[in-house]
């Protein structure tokens, strides 16, 4: 047995001996020495591969973030920065759990529908979910149907790709869009596409549950039906944030006026 060469770094052999057929009809073999990768070079390759994957993942998260419509106010929102009220406590708890259990919920394509009156903080909580998941390097797109529609009208065949590829699609303010046949068809397409590929949607809407459940317009009802299959409905109630801050302003004024 010949001495096999070793890697000076890890001491692992960098060649091995094989029985090589002579192909002369005798069935005999000869010993041959062939090169092989040592343990440290395989480990190094694996590390490089993981670094590359992490790099690509970060890049994709940032790319989708840049396509998102998270307004300046909600850019840095986290669960920590969400002010808890009686009306949003349950939604906030569910949102926190949703992020914690995202891997499980993602696997089955389950999302949440936050509904309630204007100004109850639905978009804020949805943005917090998006931000928390992006911080964990999940790919998220937060957008609205008017924006999706704008992209669909680009006549670029890949224009809706961003909405289908993200691990989570957050659609803000459903029900505020134009209700043309084309718009509703695009909306259904995006939702149905994610339904079929078991990718979750988080939704916010001012529409009432009753309105969505009893909707007689088939163009809408098939959209709502899909959403009810995919999204767990959570209501936000109570005095709206805007009203609350208005009341607070009034408190200040009362104090100033010595009331
Ligand atoms: Zn080595």
């Amino acid at each position: 047995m010949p001495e096999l060469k070793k890697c000076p770094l890890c001491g692992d052999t960098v060649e091995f001996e094989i029985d090589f057929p002579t192909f002369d009809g005798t069935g005999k073999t000869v010993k041959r020495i062939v090169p092989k990768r040592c343990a440290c070079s395989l480990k190094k390759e694996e590390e490089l591969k993981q670094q590359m994957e992490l790099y690509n993942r970060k890049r994709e998260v940032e790319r989708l973030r840049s396509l998102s419509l998270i307004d300046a106010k909600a850019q840095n929102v986290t669960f920590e920065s969400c002010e808890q009220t009686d009306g949003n406590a349950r939604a906030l708890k569910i949102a926190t759990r949703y992020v914690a259990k995202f891997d499980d919920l993602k696997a089955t394509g389950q999302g949440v529908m936050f509904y309630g009156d204007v100004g109850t903080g639905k978009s804020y909580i949805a943005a917090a979910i998006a931000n928390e998941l992006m911080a964990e390097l999940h790919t998220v797109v937060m957008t609205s149907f008017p924006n999706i529609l704008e992209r669909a009208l680009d006549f670029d065949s890949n224009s809706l790709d961003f909405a289908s590829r993200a691990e989570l699609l957050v659609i803000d303010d459903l029900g505020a869009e134009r209700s043309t046949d084309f718009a509703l068809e695009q909306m259904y397409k995006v939702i149905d596409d994610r339904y079929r590929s078991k990718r979750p949607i988080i939704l916010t809407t001012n529409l009432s549950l009753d309105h969505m459940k009893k909707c007689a317009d088939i163009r809408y009802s098939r959209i709502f039906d899909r959403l009810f299959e995919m999204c767990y409905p959570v209501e936000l109630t109570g005095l709206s944030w805007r009203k609350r801050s208005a009341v607070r302003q009034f408190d200040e004024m009362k104090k100033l006026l010595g009331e």
Side-chain angles (χ1 to χ4, degrees), residues 7 9-10 38-41:
C7 167
L9 296 174
C10 68
C38 67
C40 80
S41 91

Side-chain angles (χ1 to χ4, degrees), residues 32-44:
R32 285 256 176 106
I33 304 285
V34 291
K36 81 177 217 353
R37 304 282 300 278
C38 67
C40 80
S41 91
L42 285 171
K43 192 172 159 233
K44 201 169 178 180

Side-chain angles (χ1 to χ4, degrees), residues 125-141:
I125 285 182
I129 293 176
N131 288 336
E132 299 272 2
L133 286 175
M134 282 191 275
E136 291 176 13
L137 295 186
H138 288 290
T139 51
V140 181
V141 165

Side-chain angles (χ1 to χ4, degrees), residues 12-246:
D12 192 10
T13 53
V14 291
E15 17 177 68
F16 68 111
E17 204 177 44
I18 56 161
D19 292 321
F20 199 76
T22 53
F23 297 115
D24 58 2
T26 60
K28 283 182 188 164
T29 59
V30 287
K31 298 285 185 196
R32 285 256 176 106
I33 304 285
V34 291
K36 81 177 217 353
R37 304 282 300 278
C38 67
C40 80
S41 91
L42 285 171
K43 192 172 159 233
K44 201 169 178 180
E45 188 182 270
E46 182 56 31
E47 281 168 5
L48 274 173
K49 209 179 109 195
Q50 282 176 9
Q51 276 174 21
M52 205 60 200
E53 276 169 11
L54 186 66
Y55 172 78
N56 286 333
R57 182 144 197 97
K58 280 182 180 166
R59 227 174 48 164
E60 180 67 356
V61 169
E62 289 313 314
R63 190 182 74 85
L64 294 177
R65 188 202 300 271
S66 73
L67 295 174
S68 290
L69 292 176
I70 301 181
D71 62 23
K73 204 173 60 190
Q75 208 101 71
N76 300 310
V77 172
T78 60
F79 292 138
E80 199 112 287
S81 67
C82 281
E83 188 193 345
Q84 190 173 319
T85 65
D86 289 344
N88 76 5
R90 182 168 163 256
L92 201 51
K93 190 180 141 207
I94 285 171
T96 311
R97 298 277 298 168
Y98 189 84
V99 169
K101 299 277 174 199
F102 184 64
D103 286 329
D104 295 330
L105 293 159
K106 192 186 88 173
T108 47
Q110 288 169 291
V112 181
M113 176 193 293
F114 294 109
Y115 69 98
D117 291 339
V118 178
T120 44
K122 302 178 297 286
S123 303
Y124 208 73
I125 285 182
I129 293 176
N131 288 336
E132 299 272 2
L133 286 175
M134 282 191 275
E136 291 176 13
L137 295 186
H138 288 290
T139 51
V140 181
V141 165
M142 182 160 178
T143 188
S144 64
F145 270 114
N147 182 248
I148 288 175
L149 199 59
E150 218 172 276
R151 287 176 167 275
L153 287 168
D154 268 348
F155 293 108
D156 172 354
S157 58
N158 291 319
S159 59
L160 294 179
D161 193 48
F162 80 116
S164 59
R165 270 176 55 187
E167 287 175 85
L168 178 68
L169 175 66
V170 181
I171 301 168
D172 195 29
D173 210 5
L174 175 87
E177 57 286 319
R178 283 184 296 157
S179 55
T180 63
D181 284 349
F182 177 75
L184 294 170
E185 184 56 38
Q186 294 303 316
M187 196 193 294
Y188 182 75
K189 223 167 93 180
V190 167
I191 291 168
D192 189 57
D193 185 58
R194 290 194 69 89
Y195 173 81
R196 286 172 192 279
S197 54
K198 283 199 174 164
R199 285 170 182 258
I201 292 176
I202 297 263
L203 193 79
T204 76
T205 183
N206 300 329
L207 301 171
S208 75
L209 214 53
D210 213 40
H211 171 88
M212 289 187 274
K213 282 189 169 158
K214 289 180 181 162
C215 179
D217 187 338
I218 180 80
R219 298 173 310 158
Y220 276 105
S221 63
R222 66 175 189 155
I223 290 170
F224 296 147
D225 286 349
R226 269 281 179 268
L227 289 172
F228 281 124
E229 280 183 81
M230 304 170 76
C231 301
Y232 183 66
V234 177
E235 188 177 19
L236 285 92
T237 56
L239 202 51
S240 82
W241 284 12
R242 275 167 218 160
K243 278 185 201 151
R244 278 162 52 89
S245 72

